[in-house]
Amino acid sequence: MSPTISHKDNSRQRRPGTFNHSLDMKSGPLPPGAWDDSHLDLVGGEGDREALLRDTGDFSKPQRSYRAELSSIFLLLFLYVLQGIPLGLAGSIPLILQSKNVSYTDQAFFSFVFWPFSLKLLWAPLVDAVYFRNFGRRKSWLVPTQYILGLFMIYLSTQVDSLLGNTDGRTPDVVALTVTFFLFEFLAATQDIAVDGWALTMLSRENVGYASTCNSVGQTAGYFLGNVLFLALESADFCNKYLRFQPQPRGIVTLSDFLFFWGTVFLITTTLVALLKKENKEVSVEKEETQGITDTYKLLFAIIKMPAVLTFCLLILTAKIGFSAADAVTGLKLVEEGVPKEHLALLAVPMVPLQIILPLIISKYTAGPQPLNIFYKAMPYRLLLGLEYAVLVWWTPKVEYQGGFPIYYYIIVLLSYALHQVTLYSMYVSVMAFNAKVSDPLIGGTYMTLLNTVSNLGGNWPSTFLQLCKKLGGSCITALDGYYVESIICVFIGFVWWFFLGPKFKKLQDEGPSSWKCKRNN
């Protein structure tokens, strides 16, 4: 529906690993305040061991108020806003391509640009394990990555009009656009690993909860700027109607202007961070759990082969098939039926507060021992909304009047989108709560990254596949648009999954802690 529908699951839910291997780190005693867990078994077994790991801290130090760390909180917030800009820009390109009448095959090919955030686990251990200690563990990756992002955006600003076919009237070069924005998102995903890791040490233990708030609010704001605001200001119709006294043939900004501006912002702010912000030297360093990069990857494979983890991965990879038609194609179909893309983008504006508030509300119901119950209860409602989306697309050309749509049409679209967000966030927050519940704390954040990455991948591959199938549906089925057939088939598959595999998915909550513990051979 709005650009945020297709990729909301793909731009969040990310946590890095927390390995402690640097280019110049030497083995030695743990610093004061760090936990040595080599003797925890003497306390009273596995349960006590887990409790100790959850409640570690230095109680001799006075707790710090969040006001004392406002500068760090605002820095994190801004870094997450920067992270959302590439996500929002990449999400706006499919709507621009759709307005240029590119095929669904080309749309499906371009959707590969969103895969780096789902596959970043492949290089996350490298980002977490290799760094220059004197410069800073997270700055070693954050600073060069953001410099490259800034330079990349400035260079892209000189080429993007040609890639989109704006300069010579040619059709967009979808292959070149896909390769370019894939590299763009790869850099953004790498920056995400560094920022998420830095968030865990930039704030004190009592205030580290604000990191997730910065993540949610910052990414939402960044996506809004790079997607909604850009599409509105780039649209000549919108600018002439709402922002100008004299009509002009183009919008206030172009994609080239937007890229150049934010590329400059990246370069300036990265320089300031590199020079002015120091990493927290007082944070206790956890005991190393790996002996190098190779050992880190071996540990990942050991986790994946665990029966409980393997079952979770297989189930979550197939759980979102039922939503793929609604999430990946509905917005494109509405544009195809004549709804201006900038109007769809503007519908995301009132959703921003909802997207910030919903996780706070839903988390109250997923904090207990059975978080996946919310996932199971929300799934049929989200599936039914997929059918409602198909009806909405069918109804759209029937209410068009003199090249526009009545206000009640947009109200119905907005309500549909809001209900979709409620079901989406219910499932999203419950899965994240479950991942946090079962992740083995002995191996830091890598376990969490693995589960979140698989969850994201489960939303990516069905969307790509469905857009590829759209061409077949449109060419082979002449009596009925292939989109409606795909919607019905996807919803049917979704209900089959919910009825037969959903209970098994919920049953994973009953697995004991030992089913999720990583067993290493020392």
Side-chain angles (χ1 to χ4, degrees):
M1 178 102 28
S2 164
T4 54
I5 286 184
S6 300
H7 312 295
K8 179 61 65 179
D9 286 341
N10 307 334
S11 59
R12 302 202 182 175
Q13 314 162 14
R14 300 181 295 280
R15 286 197 178 275
T18 55
F19 302 107
N20 302 297
H21 173 69
S22 70
L23 293 177
D24 56 355
M25 180 176 286
K26 299 179 180 179
S27 59
L30 295 174
W35 275 88
D36 184 351
D37 59 3
S38 59
H39 304 293
L40 284 176
D41 289 330
L42 301 177
V43 177
E46 187 176 272
D48 291 331
R49 180 187 183 101
E50 290 186 61
L52 283 172
L53 286 166
R54 285 194 298 266
D55 297 328
T56 59
D58 190 346
F59 297 103
S60 63
K61 295 182 179 180
Q63 291 193 349
R64 300 183 66 183
S65 168
Y66 76 92
R67 292 183 178 87
E69 298 185 297
L70 276 179
S71 60
S72 295
I73 291 174
F74 283 126
L75 174 60
L76 276 179
L77 180 64
F78 184 74
L79 291 175
Y80 281 119
V81 170
L82 292 182
Q83 187 182 118
I85 298 296
L87 292 169
L89 284 173
S92 69
I93 297 299
L95 293 178
I96 296 176
L97 293 178
Q98 186 68 15
S99 66
K100 296 178 179 293
N101 299 316
V102 302
S103 68
Y104 281 98
T105 302
D106 288 337
Q107 291 280 15
F109 186 73
F110 184 81
S111 69
F112 280 106
V113 306
F114 301 101
W115 282 58
F117 273 98
S118 295
L119 301 177
K120 70 184 182 70
L121 183 68
L122 297 177
W123 68 93
L126 180 65
V127 175
D128 218 21
V130 179
Y131 59 95
F132 296 100
R133 185 173 60 182
N134 290 335
F135 186 57
R137 183 180 188 185
R138 303 306 174 184
K139 287 171 63 177
S140 295
W141 287 90
L142 177 71
V143 171
T145 300
Q146 290 199 168
Y147 270 133
I148 296 172
L149 267 170
L151 294 172
F152 189 83
M153 294 173 79
I154 292 175
Y155 173 75
L156 185 58
S157 70
T158 66
Q159 304 294 321
V160 69
D161 286 334
S162 175
L163 295 177
L164 288 172
N166 295 336
T167 55
D168 48 15
R170 295 183 303 175
T171 57
D173 189 342
V174 177
V175 174
L177 281 170
T178 302
V179 172
T180 300
F181 276 87
F182 184 90
L183 294 174
F184 197 26
E185 296 302 289
F186 172 81
L187 292 170
T190 304
Q191 188 254 19
D192 169 55
I193 299 170
V195 175
D196 281 354
W198 199 3
L200 301 179
T201 57
M202 187 183 296
L203 302 178
S204 60
R205 180 174 297 275
E206 56 268 23
N207 293 323
V208 74
Y210 288 103
S212 61
T213 304
C214 294
N215 188 315
S216 176
V217 176
Q219 281 193 351
T220 300
Y223 194 96
F224 173 83
L225 293 173
N227 189 285
V228 180
L229 183 63
F230 162 70
L231 288 175
L233 297 180
E234 185 262 350
S235 168
D237 291 337
F238 177 85
C239 293
N240 291 337
K241 186 174 181 180
Y242 299 106
L243 302 177
R244 286 178 175 148
F245 295 106
Q246 296 294 330
Q248 299 290 333
R250 52 180 284 180
I252 292 177
V253 301
T254 64
L255 182 55
S256 177
D257 299 332
F258 200 81
L259 284 167
F260 184 85
F261 171 78
W262 283 106
T264 304
V265 171
F266 266 81
L267 294 180
I268 294 174
T269 56
T270 302
T271 301
L272 293 176
V273 170
L275 296 177
L276 302 179
K277 183 62 178 179
K278 305 298 182 182
E279 294 199 27
N280 192 349
K281 302 295 185 181
E282 297 179 358
V283 174
S284 299
V285 181
E286 295 181 3
K287 182 178 179 181
E288 281 190 284
E289 294 118 14
T290 60
Q291 285 72 50
I293 299 173
T294 302
D295 187 61
T296 300
Y297 283 100
K298 288 180 180 179
L299 184 58
L300 280 177
F301 285 114
I303 296 171
I304 295 172
K305 291 188 292 184
M306 294 164 57
V309 175
L310 187 60
T311 300
F312 172 85
C313 292
L314 293 176
L315 290 175
I316 201 64
L317 281 173
T318 55
K320 299 178 184 178
I321 294 176
F323 318 127
S324 52
D327 289 2
V329 188
T330 299
L332 302 177
K333 288 295 296 182
L334 290 177
V335 174
E336 184 182 284
E337 296 294 348
V339 181
K341 64 181 185 299
E342 61 271 15
H343 289 183
L344 283 181
L346 282 177
L347 293 179
V349 175
M351 293 297 104
V352 173
L354 183 65
Q355 292 165 353
I356 295 173
I357 295 172
L358 273 175
L360 301 177
I361 298 175
I362 298 170
S363 61
K364 297 179 181 179
Y365 302 95
T366 58
Q370 302 286 321
L372 291 183
N373 290 351
I374 299 297
F375 180 99
Y376 185 77
K377 292 176 181 178
M379 186 173 182
Y381 295 101
R382 187 173 173 186
L383 290 170
L384 291 175
L385 281 172
L387 295 179
E388 191 267 344
Y389 278 180
V391 173
L392 185 63
V393 171
W394 170 83
W395 182 57
T396 296
K398 302 182 184 303
V399 297
E400 185 177 9
Y401 179 72
Q402 295 181 350
F405 295 87
I407 188 64
Y408 67 82
Y409 171 80
Y410 288 109
I411 292 176
I412 292 174
V413 172
L414 184 63
L415 291 175
S416 300
Y417 184 26
L419 291 174
H420 177 273
Q421 292 295 288
V422 172
T423 58
L424 184 152
Y425 272 91
S426 296
M427 299 179 69
Y428 155 62
V429 174
S430 64
V431 170
M432 293 306 102
F434 176 75
N435 291 350
K437 173 178 175 286
V438 302
S439 294
D440 189 343
L442 291 177
I443 59 170
T446 303
Y447 206 131
M448 185 77 166
T449 303
L450 168 65
L451 299 183
N452 290 347
T453 299
V454 174
S455 300
N456 293 341
L457 187 60
N460 269 348
W461 78 263
S463 297
T464 300
F465 179 78
L466 256 292
Q467 288 184 345
L468 284 170
C469 288
K470 186 69 185 70
K471 181 183 178 182
L472 298 177
S475 61
C476 298
I477 302 174
T478 57
L480 187 64
D481 192 313
Y483 165 72
Y484 303 112
V485 177
E486 290 172 352
S487 296
I488 294 173
I489 292 175
C490 285
V491 171
F492 176 77
I493 293 174
F495 273 108
V496 169
W497 189 99
W498 179 73
F499 187 79
F500 291 102
L501 298 180
K504 188 172 184 179
F505 191 59
K506 282 203 307 177
K507 196 174 180 180
L508 288 172
Q509 301 173 121
D510 300 328
E511 294 282 349
S514 60
S515 300
W516 305 96
K517 292 280 184 188
C518 181
K519 302 168 180 63
R520 290 188 63 210
N521 296 322
N522 295 318

